[in-house]
Structure formats: C-alpha cells, structure tokens
Amino acid sequence: MKAIVNGKVISQGRILTDHALVFDQQIRAICPLPELNSWSASELIDAQGLFVAPGFIDIHIHGCGGYDTMDATTGALRAMGQCLAEHGVTAFLPTTMSAPWEKIRQVVGVVRRIAGENGLTLLQKTGEDTQVATRVLGVHLEGPFLNSEFKGAQAAEHLTLPDFALLTDYLDIIRIITLAPELPGTDALLDQLAAYPQIVPAIGHSGASFEATQWAIEGGVRHATHLFNAMSRLHHRQPGVVGAVLASGICAELIADNLHVHPGLYDLLLKTQGLERLILVSDAMRAAGLSDGEYELGGQTVRVQSGAARLADGTLAGSVLTLDKAVANFRQATGCGLAEAIGLVTRNPAKLLGLGHRIGDLRVGMEADIVVLDEGCNIVEVFVRGLGGTLLRCPAHKKVTAGRLHLA
Ligand SMILES: [Zn+2]
C-alpha cells in the first residue's frame, strides 16, 4: 500500500488539502491526514504541495515519440505508451487512419493483443528502473467511412461507404468509430451498432447539413470528433455539423493546440458544452514530442514546423500536441480552474467510454491511475494502476521534483 501526502487531491471536481491518498492497484482511501495511521502504508510519497489528479485519457491519438498506431506493431504501441505517460496520460485509444481495410484489420489485431495483455498495464524494464506506460483501452477507428470532401489529412483513395460487415470481427475492441453520417449505409450501420453500447459512433470528416446531423444524433451518434475541424462550418443560415452538435447536447472533442481552433472560441465552447460535454484530445501524430522535420501520417508526408503539422498543400495533418499542454492552453484561454480543466481529460472521456466507474476520477474503489502535477500542468509523477512513481525522465520536468520518503 502506498500513500501520497502533502498534495492537493483533485477528486470529484474538488480540491482536497490535508488529505492522504491511499492506494494499491485501486484507490483505498482519501482520508484526512490523522486517519492515515489506520492504513498500513509501506511507502509514503511526499507531493510537496503539488496537485494529485486522476490520470489523463486521450481518446484520439495517432502517434507520438516517433511511432504511430498504423505501424501495426506492439513495439510501436508500447513506445507510444511510454511517451504518453510522461505527459500524464494513463490510458489511450490508439487511433487509425483510413487505409486499405486489410491494413486496418492488422492494426486492430495488434491493439487487441496489447489491450488483452496483463490487465492492460504495460511495464518495461529499462536498466534498473521499471518504467510505467499508458494503458490501451481499445481502438478509435477514424474512418474509413468518411466524406472525401472533408477528408482533412485522410487519404481519399482509402475512404469507403459504411459497412457493418467490415467491423464484425472487432466489436470487442472498437471503442469509437468516426464516420460521416451523410454517406449511404449509415442508418443501417447505426442500427446495428446500437446493439453494442460500448462502441461510440462519432460524427467527423463530414459535410452533413444541420438537419442530417440532427437525424444522425437521433439515430445513435453520441460524439463529435475534433469539433470545427474537417466538417461543415457554422453559418447562420446553414449551421452544418458544428451548429447541430453545439445545439444537441452530445459530447465534442477539441484539439486545444491553438492552431486547429482559435483559442478565442474555447470559452464559447465551454459555455455551450459545459464542463461535462467537452473532451480535450491531442489528435497527435508521430512527431509529437520530437523536433521539427518531415514525418509520415497515413502514408502521406507531413512537415512539422513551429508546432504545426501540415501536408504539402497546407492542410493541418494531426497535431504535435500533448494533453498536459492542451490543459494548459485551455486554462490560459478560458481562465478555467485546474480541477475543472482536468475533468475534460479525465472524467469526460471515461464517461463517454462507459468507464466512469473505473477510471477518470480519484474515488475509493477506482483504479489507481494518478498523476502529480504543478499549477502549470507540468507532470511530475505518474502511477498506472498503482504502479510507477519513479520520477519520469522528461528533461522539461527536471526542475520540479516530488521528493519521496520511504518508511522503514
Ligand atoms: Zn485524427
């Protein structure tokens, strides 16, 4: 049993001071300090006044640290998991790009193999240390049932019409499927997906009208993929996908890198979506965490310069964003408190995936996915299902150290 003391514990949207967080694989107690004695904690971790929050969940991420979901190897997913842990992410959905269906099948098979291992916790030995890596919760299929006119950085030649038969072997591992509901065959697909509540149908890369979007939402679409990006725009006489989503009450993703959406709109989004229906995502590609240069995304060359990843024609192609930075950007633009902003990368994604009882908050009985961070959202320590707590070796974070006290 471990206990974190001297931290400001973010639990159920509140900040608790003078409380200890007691955990093994699960959260066992969040108790006032004097009650800590009744728990036989063998290790005390001194958070030195920093914040103690639930681990972040990224439901839309293609790659990072030089690796990509479409590499279709367990090694790539493990490497992504390690990179993500350094940014406070304790669970993620590797996200596919449109590709020949055989390739997507291969990728989903690899995700299933990783997700099924070891209760999803990935541990890797690096010399003396055991480094914790982020858990894989399943796969986000971004395509291939997308509108070619709103393809963004997806390869048009691999887009196809909705077909439930393509998905039937993978219903256990698909968590989100992004689709353009104006494509013929969507109604039948949504009807069939209704029998699988663990799969979230999401609207994205879509040119649907306001009315068609409303129809799709009535038919089962529960989420909007990177709101504003690669979808029909908000016009006062043709409100499109954006207008219908904002008016609907469904959940929406925001890529808060200040490039995909002007930060001046974040506050408006917060007013329309509230704290409960907005999810910050990275939509990161393999260059996230690396320097500027040329990279690959979905078989296309992407140039990364000054934090923007673009195809040769200038189209934004994923991001190099990480969720810790997304939270910081969002707070800077909106003035939102840390505890509130943390909910957009913890509670909300967990609830969308139907996992709100297990992850996404610090409550007794939930899994011990924990981050220690400062006010600027710099990540200091990460625990995945209670494992970890070795100071992460991310140079940017070296200034801040959470000292650890070991009891004899
Ligand atoms: Zn994406």
Side-chain angles (χ1 to χ4, degrees):
M1 202 86 79
K2 300 173 185 175
I4 301 178
V5 297
N6 294 338
K8 292 176 243 175
V9 179
I10 298 178
S11 171
Q12 302 184 71
R14 294 169 304 152
I15 298 176
L16 304 171
T17 52
D18 299 323
H19 277 63
L21 180 72
V22 184
F23 61 99
D24 44 27
Q25 285 195 343
Q26 291 183 326
I27 311 290
R28 297 298 174 190
I30 302 173
C31 60
L33 269 184
E35 291 174 24
L36 181 58
N37 287 339
S38 61
W39 294 90
S40 51
S42 57
E43 188 178 339
L44 277 190
I45 297 147
D46 180 358
Q48 298 193 349
L50 297 168
F51 291 91
V52 181
F56 304 167
I57 303 164
D58 197 345
I59 60 170
H60 188 156
I61 171 160
H62 299 278
C64 58
Y67 296 91
D68 190 285
T69 304
M70 298 305 284
D71 293 346
T73 64
T74 51
L77 291 179
R78 286 175 186 284
M80 284 170 65
Q82 279 200 343
C83 174
L84 287 172
E86 293 179 354
H87 297 282
V89 177
T90 53
F92 74 114
L93 295 183
T95 304
T96 60
M97 293 287 287
S98 297
W101 186 251
E102 257 321 297
K103 177 66 186 270
I104 295 175
R105 282 173 66 98
Q106 192 190 346
V107 171
V108 176
V110 171
V111 173
R112 178 191 274 148
R113 221 179 310 150
I114 283 275
E117 273 178 22
N118 195 21
L120 310 187
T121 298
L122 310 180
L123 288 174
Q124 294 190 330
K125 287 271 183 198
T126 49
E128 295 278 287
D129 302 329
T130 302
Q131 195 175 9
V132 171
T134 302
R135 287 193 279 166
V136 172
L137 297 174
V139 71
H140 177 162
L141 289 186
E142 189 176 15
F145 312 143
L146 307 176
N147 185 332
S148 58
E149 285 180 46
F150 293 84
K151 63 184 170 57
Q154 303 267 347
E157 65 269 31
H158 300 310
L159 303 182
T160 56
L161 293 179
D163 181 359
F164 183 73
L166 292 176
L167 310 178
T168 46
D169 286 345
Y170 302 99
L171 296 167
D172 60 314
I173 196 72
I174 299 170
R175 289 286 190 177
I176 298 178
I177 177 160
T178 293
L179 50 84
E182 66 272 29
L183 297 179
T186 300
D187 288 355
L189 181 72
L190 290 177
D191 280 350
Q192 280 158 312
L193 285 176
Y196 303 91
Q198 78 278 11
I199 301 176
V200 177
I203 186 168
H205 293 273
S206 164
S209 66
F210 181 84
E211 291 75 12
T213 304
Q214 285 186 316
W215 181 252
I217 290 169
E218 274 176 39
V221 164
R222 289 190 269 147
H223 180 63
T225 296
H226 44 53
L227 189 68
F228 290 110
N229 301 118
M231 58 178 57
S232 48
R233 293 176 183 173
L234 176 66
H235 182 283
H236 55 291
R237 284 189 293 273
Q238 293 179 327
V241 175
V242 173
V245 167
L246 291 177
S248 72
I250 66 168
C251 209
E253 292 175 3
L254 171 67
I255 307 170
D257 64 352
N258 298 351
L259 291 168
H260 280 76
V261 176
H262 192 289
L265 282 182
Y266 296 176
D267 202 38
L268 186 65
L269 267 182
L270 196 53
K271 289 190 173 88
T272 54
Q273 293 298 98
L275 285 169
E276 302 285 330
R277 292 176 290 118
L278 189 60
I279 296 176
L280 306 186
V281 297
S282 70
D283 196 12
M285 45 82 75
R286 70 172 78 237
L290 303 178
S291 48
D292 286 358
E294 272 196 6
Y295 297 89
E296 178 271 347
L297 177 71
Q300 304 181 88
T301 302
V302 174
R303 180 144 201 90
V304 177
Q305 206 172 3
S306 311
R310 296 181 190 275
L311 301 179
D313 67 3
T315 305
L316 281 170
S319 81
V320 292
L321 182 65
T322 51
L323 281 194
D324 47 355
K325 182 71 179 153
V327 171
N329 287 344
F330 191 81
R331 291 192 65 209
Q332 193 168 30
T334 62
C336 178
L338 184 64
E340 286 78 31
I342 289 283
L344 310 184
V345 293
T346 56
R347 177 196 60 230
N348 293 359
K351 272 168 74 175
L352 180 75
L353 299 178
L355 298 172
H357 58 296
R358 280 177 47 199
I359 55 174
D361 204 350
L362 298 179
R363 298 199 306 265
V364 173
M366 295 184 82
E367 294 178 21
D369 290 352
I370 303 163
V371 297
V372 179
L373 70 166
D374 68 12
E375 180 83 37
C377 211
N378 297 295
I379 307 298
V380 179
E381 293 273 23
V382 175
F383 299 85
V384 181
R385 204 176 267 176
L387 296 168
T390 309
L391 197 65
L392 292 168
R393 281 163 294 158
C394 193
H397 305 148
K398 273 186 178 157
K399 308 184 277 294
V400 201
T401 54
R404 303 175 65 194
L405 308 169
H406 292 268
L407 296 182

